[in-house]
Amino acid sequence: MAKGLSVLCVCVQNMTTPALLPLSGRRIPTLSPGASSFPHHRATLRLSEKFILLLILSAFITLCFGAFFFLPDNSKHKRFDLGLEDVLIPHIDSPKEGKHASGQREAGKDRVREEEESLRDKIRADHERALQEAKEKLRKSREELQAEIQTEKNKVMEDLKKKDAGPKPLPPVPMPKVVSVSDGEPPEPDAKEKRDKIREMMKHAWDSYRQYGWGHNELKPLAKKGHSTNIFGNSQLGATIVDALDTLYIMGLHEEFKDGQEWIDQNLDFGVNAEVSVFEVNIRFIGGLLAAYYLSGQEVFKLKAVQLAEKLLPAFNTPTGIPWAMVNLKSGVGRNWGWASAGSSILAEFGTLHMEFVHLTYLTGNPAYYQKVMHIRKLLAKMDRPNGLYPNYLNPRTGRWGQHHTSVGGLGDSFYEYLLKAWLMSDKTDTEARKTYDDAIEAIERHLIRKSNGGLTFIGEWKNGHLERKMGHLACFAGGMFALGADGSPDDKAGHYLQLGAEIAHTCHESYDRTVLKLGPEAFKFDSGLEAVAVRQNEKYYILRPEVIETYWYMWRFTHDPKYRQWGWEAAQAIDKYCRVSGGFSGVKDVYSSNPTYDDVQQSFFLAETLKYLYLLFSSDDLMPFESWVFNTEAHPLPVLHLGNITLPGSEPAQR
């Protein structure tokens, strides 16, 4: 008998085939498009014969086990009784427990016998049912068995197709009322002509990317091939496609938009082994996909945005909940930039998630996204801030500030922007965000904003108790931010902040006007007799950045002063003259040189931001009105959520 069982086990073991794996719940790899179905299931070609043999062996095994349990006076059966009794009856070790203990033991034995009998009845019923099923199978003809086998195969195939089909559709939610997505044609013929030129520049940038870098993250316009940086990992995620979508839509380039949508639908895959910047992927990809969804209503953009967001969530698995700067999309492993202060996360990176994550919670009903960003806000609110300023570095392990360096340019900029825009996006109900913004701006104005000897207002950088009189191109966005936040300022300071925005716009225009190419440098100083001029060679470059033009647009919307359109047109002409090449647009290495050399990169934000802001600058105000849209830091428009009528899962009453 033992030998027979041993042989039987070997037979059954040898029968195991990949064809049966789906039934065990194992994960099946996703099939590539166009691949034949189930190439790894070749053993199914002889499944019918093996299935019949398996049924016969199953019946034989069942009979063996039946005999094993029900033969009279079986010694193993007796040991089975003892085992149950030992387990279920409390041991009485002391004779002092007397009759009461003895009665308990007898009652325990009765209970064991009852449970044992119940177990025997269950085993007997299972045995009889299995035996009956085996007999019925053996009575069926070969054709009937083959039909059953085919049915099982079809079921497995359907299950696999469901897995390969991707995530289930998201629950339907009421779309915010999106108004005035119009063509925005300006009434002035001169402005219309300039707007048409901006559209032509966009088409040149897109067509060049379409021809030479399609599917790559960015374009090398001189080499005419794809380009990527470490912020996107080592994979082709089509960053330019995602970043440019809403610009194409707003400009009415719908054929180009459709090409981008098709690529995203068929090729954009976030299951790749790539380490990406959480911040950059959030503002460019999630922001771009959400904006494309709200503008076009195409579900694919919403689905892709949610798929990607799920890949970013592991970055928040830190002792403090402050996310890592980078995360591997496949493994979920996160880490920080090696150059950041003592392994710190960066204020502008973990503080620039709120807009996109609130919309993710709104669209999915999943409170996790909202809770992650609110946790960050609450943690920051509890921390001491030197002079009321937020340092740029925070350690995600210890929850302590790193180096005391504060700036409204790189490393800090969009943190302040998102405090203001969280309030605007909530239909001005998120008063906590507004209060935090107002307090931060007050500290910035007290400690960082100064006037130069020549009368130029600039925003310096605070480093370990010392003000560095240097302003970065990135900080030039703040002119638009001050103007955008003027309405709603405390103590009737609306006029003051609008004037401050105008002064920053003027300073940043000077940084452009004092170069040979009429394009602004990466950073510029205000000391040693030099004002709004770059000193170091590594600060003289221009990489198609949008921040100065962004401020021109906001100032135009709030004042309609024609100088902002004039300044914007000067910048557009300089870009077209000095940055345009046959294969697209490139940054330049020295804006003070009459013979500039190129960096050979067409940044994705050039299509997402620079050209979009220029186009809006020469459009009428009914295109993307501020009452309905708030632009993320990558210029992706997201609709205002009227939270008085919407409940965000996990939100607090103060946020409604």
Side-chain angles (χ1 to χ4, degrees):
M1 177 72 175
K3 182 178 179 181
L5 284 173
S6 176
V7 173
L8 177 60
C9 290
V10 172
C11 293
V12 173
Q13 186 177 18
N14 291 339
M15 280 186 58
T16 304
T17 70
L20 300 176
L21 284 178
L23 301 178
S24 68
R26 293 175 185 264
R27 178 172 178 153
I28 304 298
T30 303
L31 297 177
S32 59
S36 60
S37 298
F38 315 108
H40 50 298
H41 288 180
R42 293 173 185 160
T44 55
L45 297 175
R46 300 178 57 195
L47 184 59
S48 57
E49 292 87 346
K50 291 182 179 180
F51 194 89
I52 294 169
L53 180 58
L54 184 60
L55 289 174
I56 295 171
L57 292 175
S58 299
F60 182 66
I61 292 169
T62 305
L63 289 171
C64 290
F65 274 99
F68 178 78
F69 280 108
F70 297 112
L71 284 175
D73 298 323
N74 187 290
S75 60
K76 291 182 180 179
H77 192 116
K78 290 180 180 178
R79 285 198 295 273
F80 179 70
D81 289 344
L82 288 174
L84 279 176
E85 186 174 312
D86 289 340
V87 171
L88 296 177
I89 300 176
H91 290 285
I92 308 298
D93 294 326
S94 172
K96 297 179 182 179
E97 292 171 333
K99 293 182 180 179
H100 182 65
S102 177
Q104 281 186 326
R105 186 168 181 81
E106 288 302 319
K109 286 184 178 180
D110 291 340
R111 187 172 68 254
V112 168
R113 281 192 289 271
E114 291 174 2
E115 292 179 358
E116 181 186 337
E117 188 61 34
S118 174
L119 183 59
R120 282 203 196 97
D121 291 342
K122 183 178 185 306
I123 293 172
R124 185 182 295 109
D126 291 343
H127 161 260
E128 291 175 355
R129 184 169 59 255
L131 187 61
Q132 185 61 33
E133 288 177 358
K135 289 179 180 178
E136 290 176 0
K137 293 285 185 186
L138 292 173
R139 280 199 292 265
K140 291 184 179 181
S141 66
R142 181 184 179 85
E143 291 74 19
E144 289 175 319
L145 287 172
Q146 286 178 334
E148 286 192 7
I149 291 169
Q150 188 60 45
T151 299
E152 287 297 317
K153 285 171 65 177
N154 291 341
K155 184 178 182 301
V156 170
M157 291 173 68
E158 286 301 317
D159 290 342
L160 285 172
K161 284 179 181 178
K162 289 178 182 177
K163 286 185 178 181
D164 289 345
K168 295 179 181 179
L170 296 172
V173 295
M175 282 282 281
K177 187 178 181 182
V178 176
V179 298
S180 294
V181 185
S182 65
D183 65 359
E185 186 168 309
E188 309 90 347
D190 179 59
K192 182 180 183 306
E193 183 180 337
K194 290 171 180 174
R195 192 175 82 140
D196 289 343
K197 174 60 181 177
I198 304 303
R199 186 193 284 114
E200 184 277 327
M201 291 170 66
M202 177 67 182
K203 193 149 183 359
H204 176 64
W206 174 265
D207 289 346
S208 298
Y209 170 79
R210 181 75 173 83
Q211 183 174 355
Y212 304 118
W214 192 241
H216 289 268
N217 289 318
E218 292 172 320
L219 170 68
K220 295 177 76 68
L222 273 73
K224 296 183 177 178
K225 63 181 183 180
H227 170 74
S228 189
T229 64
N230 62 344
I231 61 174
F232 303 122
N234 54 3
S235 295
Q236 296 183 25
L237 296 174
T240 294
I241 299 175
V242 180
D243 230 1
L245 277 173
D246 53 4
T247 306
L248 294 170
Y249 193 93
I250 290 168
M251 289 186 177
L253 297 172
H254 295 301
E255 287 301 316
E256 290 80 358
F257 179 88
K258 192 178 299 181
D259 287 344
Q261 177 180 339
E262 184 177 324
W263 186 90
I264 286 169
D265 189 22
Q266 297 178 3
N267 299 285
L268 187 54
D269 176 21
F270 301 119
V272 293
N273 184 19
E275 189 180 51
V276 300
S277 162
V278 174
F279 162 73
E280 296 287 355
V281 164
N282 176 63
I283 65 171
R284 301 195 201 203
F285 282 81
I286 294 181
L289 290 165
L290 290 176
Y293 167 66
Y294 282 120
L295 289 169
S296 70
Q298 297 298 312
E299 287 284 316
V300 62
F301 300 127
K302 179 173 71 171
L303 290 171
K304 292 289 185 180
V306 174
Q307 288 175 27
L308 176 55
E310 290 173 353
K311 297 287 187 178
L312 297 186
L313 286 179
F316 292 82
N317 295 335
T318 67
T320 60
I322 297 293
W324 299 114
M326 292 176 288
V327 68
N328 187 294
L329 293 177
K330 189 169 187 178
S331 68
V333 175
R335 69 181 178 94
N336 276 340
W337 301 108
W339 51 262
S341 173
S344 291
S345 298
I346 297 166
L347 182 69
E349 295 193 340
F350 65 76
T352 309
L353 303 166
H354 187 97
M355 291 180 65
E356 297 82 2
F357 275 42
V358 166
H359 272 277
L360 286 167
T361 284
Y362 169 71
L363 290 172
T364 65
N366 181 357
Y369 305 107
Y370 179 85
Q371 290 168 350
K372 298 291 186 191
V373 292
M374 291 306 297
H375 174 78
I376 293 172
R377 185 193 291 181
K378 290 173 182 175
L379 186 147
L380 291 176
K382 295 176 183 177
M383 297 186 65
D384 292 330
R385 294 181 294 281
N387 294 319
L389 298 171
Y390 289 86
N392 289 335
Y393 300 105
L394 179 62
N395 191 300
R397 298 183 189 276
T398 66
R400 295 176 182 172
W401 297 118
Q403 176 188 0
H404 283 191
H405 173 207
T406 298
S407 72
V408 185
L411 308 179
D413 48 9
S414 47
F415 166 72
Y416 308 101
E417 175 188 359
Y418 268 39
L419 290 174
L420 172 63
K421 291 181 174 179
W423 175 68
L424 292 169
M425 199 180 72
S426 71
D427 197 23
K428 302 181 180 180
T429 60
D430 187 352
T431 54
E432 180 184 79
R434 176 75 212 209
K435 176 68 164 58
T436 307
Y437 168 80
D438 289 331
D439 291 346
I441 296 306
E442 182 182 343
I444 285 168
E445 189 169 9
R446 184 182 305 117
H447 296 287
L448 304 186
I449 297 180
R450 296 287 185 270
K451 270 197 190 296
S452 70
N453 293 333
L456 295 178
T457 301
F458 67 94
I459 310 174
E461 298 187 8
W462 191 265
K463 290 188 176 180
N464 295 318
H466 171 71
L467 182 67
E468 186 175 8
R469 298 171 67 86
K470 180 178 78 171
M471 184 170 176
H473 192 291
L474 288 166
C476 284
F477 93 97
M481 178 179 72
F482 293 144
L484 184 63
D487 184 24
S489 297
D491 304 323
D492 297 322
K493 284 188 175 181
H496 167 72
Y497 282 113
L498 190 61
Q499 177 61 29
L500 182 58
E503 292 176 13
I504 296 297
H506 174 66
T507 298
C508 293
H509 174 256
E510 286 298 307
S511 78
Y512 273 54
D513 201 45
R514 297 180 186 192
T515 70
V516 173
L517 304 186
K518 304 303 178 185
L519 293 170
E522 182 68 6
F524 39 95
K525 294 276 187 120
F526 294 88
D527 57 11
S528 303
L530 295 174
E531 297 193 359
V533 174
V535 176
R536 298 178 180 176
Q537 188 60 41
N538 64 357
E539 295 175 342
K540 294 180 178 180
Y541 61 86
Y542 173 70
I543 56 172
L544 307 171
R545 287 203 187 277
E547 289 77 21
V548 174
I549 297 166
E550 175 183 356
T551 280
Y552 293 165
W553 175 56
Y554 279 108
M555 292 307 303
W556 164 258
R557 279 283 178 99
F558 288 114
T559 69
H560 283 180
D561 187 327
K563 72 182 178 186
Y564 296 115
R565 277 187 167 175
Q566 178 58 35
W567 291 351
W569 182 239
E570 289 172 5
Q573 286 179 303
I575 292 169
D576 198 51
K577 182 176 181 180
Y578 295 111
C579 300
R580 183 173 185 143
V581 296
S582 63
F585 289 86
S586 170
V588 293
K589 295 182 179 180
D590 188 346
V591 294
Y592 300 96
S593 170
S594 56
N595 295 306
T597 54
Y598 298 106
D599 66 9
D600 197 19
V601 179
Q602 180 175 283
Q603 305 278 350
S604 78
F605 57 68
F606 177 64
L607 292 83
E609 299 185 76
T610 311
L611 292 174
K612 182 188 286 132
Y613 286 133
L614 281 168
Y615 186 81
L616 292 170
L617 180 61
F618 295 104
S619 298
S620 61
D621 292 358
D622 62 351
L623 179 60
M624 316 304 296
F626 292 152
E627 295 78 17
S628 303
W629 298 94
V630 182
F631 286 71
N632 88 338
T633 197
E634 189 78 356
H636 295 308
L638 299 175
V640 170
L641 293 175
H642 300 281
L643 296 181
N645 301 318
I646 299 169
T647 300
L648 289 176
S651 63
E652 299 176 358
Q655 296 302 124
R656 292 193 182 115

